[in-house]
Every structure is written in C-alpha cells, then in structure tokens.
Amino acid sequence: MGFLLLAGAIAAEIAATTSMKYSEGFTRLWPSVITAVGYVVAFALLAQTLQTVSVGTAYAIWSGAGTAAIAVIGTLFLGEGMTVTKAAGIALIVIGVVVLNLGGAH
C-alpha cells in the first residue's frame, strides 16, 4: 500500500509542478489553485507513505521520479530542449534511485 500512496504523491507533485508553469507567477487562478492543491495532496500522500516505507527510499523515489518526469514533460510538452547533458542527468537520477534501493534502504 505504501508504494501505491507514493505513486499518488508523485503524480500529484508532477501535476502541481506542471500547473505552476501555467500559473504565470501565480497570476492565473486555476493553474495556481491546481498547484497549491497538488502540493498539499503530494505531501499528505508522502506523509502517509512514510508509515510503511523508509524515509530515504520514499524521498529518493518521490524526488527522483518527479524530477525526471518534469524534465521529460518540459521537453515533450513545454518546448524545452533535450540535450545529451540533460538526458544524462535524467539517467543519473534514475540510476541513483535504483542504486539506493538496491543498497538496502528499507
């Protein structure tokens, strides 16, 4: 159940961060509301996750998956460029999360 909650926290964080881009500095109402609600939901679900998943594992997955997903969303939908350096950074994030989990984080 913990990893299902974590997946929800990641999805909420991704929605909130994407909406923040569209809020234009919090000058547009609905994207601003989605941003605020998304982060509240993300942190609430992350807090619930920590009841069954270790903080190191949960935070590594939450922050890493969110960061990598936002970078890909930026490239695919927001007109941001993808460079070899950016792709390598995303790969390093994913590898880092995998290594933390393989390294015995419980």
Side-chain angles (χ1 to χ4, degrees), residues 1 3 5 7-11 13-14 39 50 58 60 64 71-72 74 76 79 87-88 92-93 100 102:
M1 183 65 163
F3 286 100
L5 291 170
I10 292 165
E13 189 267 335
I14 291 167
Y39 280 120
L50 297 179
V72 171
L76 295 177
L92 287 171
I93 290 167
L100 273 173
L102 291 176

Side-chain angles (χ1 to χ4, degrees), residues 5-6 8-9 12 40-50:
L5 291 170
L6 183 57
V40 167
V41 169
F43 282 110
L45 291 173
L46 183 60
Q48 293 300 307
T49 299
L50 297 179

Side-chain angles (χ1 to χ4, degrees), residues 25-96:
F26 296 113
T27 61
R28 296 182 62 217
L29 177 63
W30 291 113
S32 300
V33 169
I34 293 168
T35 299
V37 170
Y39 280 120
V40 167
V41 169
F43 282 110
L45 291 173
L46 183 60
Q48 293 300 307
T49 299
L50 297 179
Q51 291 181 5
T52 57
V53 179
S54 73
V55 69
T57 299
Y59 190 73
I61 294 169
W62 182 73
S63 62
T67 300
I70 289 298
V72 171
I73 288 169
T75 299
L76 295 177
F77 301 109
L78 302 176
E80 298 176 3
M82 178 60 73
T83 64
V84 172
T85 305
K86 192 173 188 178
I90 294 168
L92 287 171
I93 290 167
V94 172
I95 291 166

